[in-house]
């Protein structure tokens, strides 16, 4: 699972969610991303090597909390 926009660090993701910005979760493969509940995401996006992972809570496809 990935997020949009493509954050280079987990810190950038946490700051954006804390600031109330709308961060969406998506899956580039055949399996859909959860629209509600918990998910594990990684970044930055392929083809760059993944440098961070995070567990998030999602509501209506938007991240509401980063753990």
């Amino acid at each position: 699972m990935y997020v949009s926009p493509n954050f280079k660090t987990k810190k950038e993701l946490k700051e954006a969610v804390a600031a109330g910005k709308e961060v969406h979760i998506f899956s580039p493969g055949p399996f859909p991303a959860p629209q509600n509940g918990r998910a594990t995401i990684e970044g930055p996006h392929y083809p760059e090597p993944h440098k961070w992972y995070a567990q998030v809570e999602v509501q209506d496809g938007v991240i509401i909390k980063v753990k």
Side-chain angles (χ1 to χ4, degrees), residues 21-66:
K21 295 186 179 176
E22 198 166 281
V23 180
H24 294 272
I25 185 172
F26 73 95
S27 174
F31 304 105
Q35 295 300 300
N36 293 295
R38 294 182 181 159
T40 301
I41 57 171
E42 55 194 359
H45 298 176
Y46 178 84
E48 295 180 53
H50 301 311
K51 296 180 181 177
W52 60 267
Y53 297 86
Q55 288 187 351
V56 297
E57 288 187 28
V58 183
Q59 185 174 16
D60 297 324
V62 177
I63 295 174
I64 58 170
K65 184 176 181 181
V66 180

